[in-house]
Amino acid sequence: MNNLVYSNNLFSGTREELVQILKENLSEKRFQHVLNVEKSAIELAQNNNGDIERASIAGLIHDYAKERTDDTFISTIKQKHMDPDLLNWGNAIWHGIVGAELIHDELGITDDKILTSIVKHTTGDVEMELLDKIVYVADFIEEGRTFPGVLEARKKAFESLDAAVGFETKHTLSYLINTNKRVYPKTILTFNKWVAE
Ligand SMILES: [Fe+2]
Ligand SMILES: [Fe+2]
């Protein structure tokens, strides 16, 4: 999809310009990851009659803020009067929820669907629209992923996006529990919606 032309004014420049911004802002490894997520997101969008351009942009920018300092996130939460509970969390939660604010301000991307998919990409949510599911699942199945179960996740993703959302949520929650990590409450709500009977 390297010849994809942006024509809907969701981003002010070309795809190549957006890719260049990411190259400058991310480590080589994460840059490769976002290119892979874009590729998977486009494939999932094609498979589900989704918006290809939004899938490309959201896939590319979903981790835009991932390598920013804690101080950047903390000052953004305070400046924008975001939920103060966010201060109790860290990069894993911030780079999506607070990252969407940085994307809005720094990249000039104002499209609600794209920004919401960034907000929801690590925790999922009870309410998830098609693009939210696409970004959430693409992040999990992109070709650089090697965790046990990734083949099953990829297969599910192209059979049923909803089932893939559930599979991923269960995998993530199990990982957090098994490694004694704190669980962001929304992740539990996502589990209750997409996994629990
Ligand atoms: Fe992320
Ligand atoms: Fe990611």
Side-chain angles (χ1 to χ4, degrees):
M1 269 295 167
N2 286 336
N3 54 0
L4 179 62
V5 174
Y6 291 164
S7 53
N8 297 318
N9 277 321
L10 298 166
F11 175 63
S12 62
T14 63
R15 177 185 173 279
E16 286 65 33
E17 284 164 346
L18 183 55
V19 167
Q20 191 55 37
I21 290 171
L22 293 160
K23 195 175 170 63
E24 286 161 11
N25 277 276
L26 300 175
S27 63
E28 182 55 35
K29 185 169 172 241
R30 185 153 284 108
F31 176 61
Q32 201 48 246
H33 165 68
V34 301
L35 290 177
N36 290 346
V37 173
E38 181 207 21
K39 188 174 168 207
S40 290
I42 289 171
E43 289 167 1
L44 290 171
Q46 286 167 334
N47 206 45
N48 290 279
N49 263 320
D51 184 320
I52 305 294
E53 187 168 325
R54 281 193 174 87
S56 165
I57 294 172
L60 287 172
I61 65 176
H62 80 284
D63 277 344
Y64 169 76
K66 180 97 179 187
E67 296 174 357
R68 303 295 279 268
T69 63
D70 287 359
D71 281 350
T72 300
F73 290 116
I74 291 165
S75 63
T76 305
I77 292 165
K78 290 179 177 168
Q79 268 170 24
K80 295 187 174 254
H81 306 289
M82 298 178 80
D83 180 358
D85 174 62
L86 282 167
L87 296 170
N88 299 316
W89 299 85
N91 179 284
I93 298 302
W94 293 340
H95 84 276
I97 299 172
V98 189
E101 298 285 334
L102 299 174
I103 286 167
H104 175 278
D105 294 355
E106 297 174 12
L107 301 183
I109 291 172
T110 57
D111 181 68
D112 252 353
K113 287 185 196 296
I114 292 176
L115 294 175
T116 301
S117 74
I118 308 304
V119 166
K120 298 183 175 182
H121 91 269
T122 31
T123 61
D125 204 334
V126 175
E127 301 296 336
M128 293 177 82
E129 288 192 18
L130 179 58
L131 186 67
D132 304 330
K133 295 174 190 170
I134 285 173
V135 176
Y136 186 71
V137 171
D139 193 18
F140 190 62
I141 64 162
E142 61 96 342
E143 63 192 36
R145 300 287 193 197
T146 56
F147 60 86
V150 71
L151 294 179
E152 191 184 347
R154 285 189 189 120
K155 187 161 171 280
K156 269 201 168 52
F158 288 92
E159 289 167 0
S160 159
L161 205 47
D162 285 7
V165 167
F167 185 85
E168 171 177 348
T169 301
K170 185 171 178 176
H171 184 277
T172 302
L173 189 54
S174 305
Y175 165 79
L176 293 171
I177 290 169
N178 289 331
T179 52
N180 296 327
K181 298 243 166 57
R182 287 200 304 156
V183 178
Y184 193 67
K186 185 164 275 184
T187 302
I188 297 180
L189 300 178
T190 304
F191 175 86
N192 288 345
K193 165 71 189 260
W194 298 99
V195 184
E197 302 281 314

